[in-house]
Amino acid sequence: MTDDTTRRAVLAGALAAGVGGLSLSSARDLLESFAPLSGTAWDAADRELSETVESPYGAATIRIDGDGVPHVGADDEAAAYFAVGYVQAFDRLFQLDLQRRVMRGELSAVVGSATLQSDEFHVAMDFASAAEATWDVASETSVGPLVEAYADGVDAAIEREQLPLEFELLGYEPEPWTPVDTMLMEKQISWTLTGNFGELRRALVADRLGDDTVGELYPDRMDHDVPILRDAGAGDGPPDRDGSRRTAVDPALTGWLSQFESPPGIGSNSWVVAGEYTSSGTPIVANDPHLSLSTPPVWYEQHVETAETAVRGVTFPGVPFVIIGANERGAWGFTNVGADVLDCYTYEIDADGERYRYRGEWREFETETCEIVVAGGENRTTTVRKSVHGPVIEREGQTIGVAWTGLTATRTTEAIHEYGRSDGLEDVLEATRQFDLPTQNLVYADADGRTLYYATGKLPIRTVDGDPVSGDRLFDGSAGEGEWDGFTPYGESSWEGFVPFEEKPHAIDPDYVATANQRVVDDPDHYVGVDYAPPYRGTRIYDVLDERARSGEPMDPDFHRDLQRDVRDERAVRLVPELLEAVAADPETSEDLADAVDALEAWDYRMDRASRGALVFARWMAHFRRAILEPTFEEADLDESYYPNDWVLATLPADSRFFADCSREETMVAALREATAEIDDEDWERYGDWNTTGAIAHPLGGEAPFLDYDEVPADGSSATVDNYRVADAVGSSWRMVVQPGEDASAILPGGNSGDYFSPHYDDQFRRWVDGEYRSMDRTLEGDVAVRFAEGSR
């Protein structure tokens, strides 16, 4: 669907069917809070940007290109970012408000009790106070006036423009946007990437299955030879993990917290290649961050040109500045490090629950009573408690304290702004010093031929009895274990107890570096973390880069675009030959497996939507995983969210305890038989029959499915460079290839507009599915859509 007439027809059909006709899912509790679907919904069908807008910050223009990307031009930066706020609000206002409500714990006020637990968690973590502390610092810097101008632009659009359809459906109006809300968006994406309670989950598994099983299923280090920095010299190495000191937390608390941590499998690809490998001699940056895919996309594309710079790329709605992108001199991108920047603490608490013991003294918890508003229900009163470490989370009589690097004043917004204004590698290095969170793998290249890799973000150094320790366990908060020197929750931190900037993993002017969330370096000087991705994507990227480098052929932009679309699954390369051998050796093999065997034997290991072999492998992998792990985990009352990654699964030895009742080979063959039966029952013929985009949804799509994008067959898997994970709708949320000053192309998985009636609501979706790209041109051409004229403040 790409035109207004079709969209109006769909909405008309939905309205004619009534509220019941919209509910195609079981989530009726959200639907009940929809405003009556009356003629007011049509108000949103005729939204158009005002042609002239008064701005208290001065003159600016917005041109909208054929892909819905706004090109903002102004002499003054504040005027430009007022315009950016205005156009972001017009295109993505519901997304801005929804994210803000989630982080503030105010979602139930508009959708009812269905989101009450989410609100309770976010209120308890008090992300809003951390955003306020961040704004207190940022407001005194050069970005302060720009963030204020952006917020004023958002508010001007709220006041002047017709609200999007979602506000009509839910029957409410958004509150004014503030600079603190923008800081809150920094916390939101940082939490999405680093908010991980893995130590609680591992402690629970150890309690149920034993330390030996944890060591087997969740190794400190996966046995592969493809770290990001392959040639880095060995350091002293991080402290060893002491599994014997784990303390399990009640499963009710662990399970509850797991609902709100980083989505599973969040990751990304990026690489930077020096100019010696390209035809023109200019280096290239490629980046495709893998985040939750949604309608509209998580990223918003914009181009901002001022007297200081011309920068184009993507940002998160609610953030003024381009986060991933390029200016006239350089290009930069990010992937997640997987660093451990969250710790949990247990306490000795008195009988009244009002005090906790800390370093030999009793201290009162810092408390605050908060009311959570619930639309159509009874408001919930909750008490927020904090310790010296940070928020204290309580559930089912269990209590833990949480320290997270985002719960203090951070300077990442300043760093991002400076990237856009940078004039070379030294500027980028200086800006990176201010990049406090999230922990990211930065890749950079510029027109001068410089290249850079740097691990960003603050990395805590923990100690127990004066000795450095790893952070993937529970600490005794009452004893003062594992504390972060220089960290002040909800205030301004000095960070003196964290890894110094110069000691973080990095490489200046490397030939080429590839990141795919694998471990950063084999022997880091300091503990970074243990939650790295399996090496499948990293292996494939480095294999392709190495082969091309040896060939002497240039790695020009087309080569990098092809690599981003690569769908060879390295899991299959390892496992399919073993599976076929097991089938051939099984005397019980019957004709029911013949077609599956033929498909696998003829297969090229590519997860292509038209492939039969890819379908057989994908469904076999699911049944193989379940056959190995489900009996043990189910007996321990642990669901599949506790399963280890596929690298661990693929490398389990034949004498593992998980093959005690059925050999590895027998398990493989049995899983293939189950997969074949499932494929027949579902009448699937090819991979794309199962691997579709149906999981990509609008927040209200369950109740109003016309808001979702079309469901179409897709390529890729969780282990391919062209990444798509149908089970949880995670994948390439932005693909970008930039040769600074020469060639730049990109694509979004949907459209740049969040307005259902806009032609740019989904105009990039099919192109994204098919692996197409479009230009990232940085020119201010075309007709002016909005002209901002000088107005009063």
Side-chain angles (χ1 to χ4, degrees), residues 355-373:
R355 300 186 303 166
Y356 66 103
R357 196 162 185 82
Y358 177 68
R359 294 185 178 271
E361 299 179 347
W362 287 103
R363 292 196 179 192
E364 291 188 354
F365 289 107
E366 180 185 338
T367 62
E368 180 183 1
T369 301
C370 300
E371 184 179 45
I372 299 174
V373 177

Side-chain angles (χ1 to χ4, degrees), residues 6-24:
T6 304
R7 298 192 195 288
R8 289 171 185 267
V10 171
L11 180 57
L15 292 171
V19 172
L22 284 177
S23 183
L24 301 183

Side-chain angles (χ1 to χ4, degrees), residues 759-771:
H760 304 300
Y761 184 70
D762 59 0
D763 57 336
Q764 298 181 54
F765 183 63
R766 289 296 185 100
R767 288 183 282 171
W768 172 82
V769 171
D770 293 337

